[in-house]
Amino acid sequence: MLKLGGILNIIIAVAHIIGLFWAEQFFEKTGAGKPMQELAEIETTLPYILTIIVAIIFFIFGLYGLSASGKLRKLPYLKIGVYTIAFIYLFRGIGEQSYNIIMGTTNNNETVQSIVAIGIGILYLFGGLKKWNNKKNKERTI
């Protein structure tokens, strides 16, 4: 579960970087068109810088997933990192979709993004629970 969550995050990070080659269409497709346009009015490079920062965050999330799955060396604060990532994704998915439903502004694109966020959050949450609960159970039997 954590390996899949890590791989998905790295794919999302790479997609953000690739999307910058077609930034206007990328921002529109992801629902960030208007806010990015407003940022560009302040400074033309801000949408690009923000997208790169977001890609770096997704990449770090991916590294934590892969590290927790044993595919990379152990990263600092691994357990709290995995559960924090799970919380962020679940909060984003459930919170945004709930808000959109209440406000009556939900659309297919946002619904799909929320479902993906919830799915990745579940991968991190249950992957973390499986990893660290199994360790506790093994320690008890020794």
Side-chain angles (χ1 to χ4, degrees):
M1 283 189 236
L2 290 165
K3 179 181 174 185
L4 179 57
I7 291 169
L8 289 173
N9 270 286
I10 290 173
I11 290 170
I12 293 168
V14 171
H16 275 75
I17 299 301
I18 292 171
L20 288 176
F21 290 103
W22 302 275
E24 206 169 301
Q25 296 89 344
F26 175 70
F27 295 145
E28 283 302 318
K29 192 69 174 166
T30 59
K34 187 175 180 184
M36 289 301 196
Q37 221 171 23
E38 292 170 2
L39 277 178
E41 290 173 10
I42 297 168
E43 169 61 47
T44 56
T45 59
L46 280 178
Y48 296 94
I49 292 169
L50 181 61
T51 302
I52 291 168
I53 291 169
V54 168
I56 290 169
I57 292 168
F58 281 122
F59 189 76
I60 291 169
F61 284 6
L63 293 178
Y64 267 83
L66 293 175
S67 177
S69 71
K71 301 301 176 192
L72 297 176
R73 69 176 184 85
K74 186 178 178 191
L75 293 175
Y77 308 105
L78 188 58
K79 187 175 182 179
I80 195 165
V82 166
Y83 289 126
T84 300
I85 293 165
F87 172 78
I88 290 168
Y89 269 111
L90 292 170
F91 182 76
R92 186 258 182 242
I94 295 168
E96 182 177 18
Q97 193 60 24
S98 299
Y99 175 80
N100 287 335
I101 289 169
I102 291 168
M103 299 304 287
T105 59
T106 191
N107 62 45
N108 289 340
N109 190 25
E110 290 173 353
T111 300
V112 169
Q113 290 176 11
S114 291
I115 290 169
V116 169
I118 292 167
I120 294 173
I122 288 170
L123 288 172
Y124 275 80
L125 177 63
F126 289 142
L129 290 172
K130 182 179 177 185
K131 177 180 179 64
W132 286 292
N133 282 341
N134 281 344
K135 277 189 176 180
K136 285 181 184 178
N137 291 335
K138 286 179 184 177
E139 289 172 1
R140 288 182 192 156
T141 59
I142 295 177

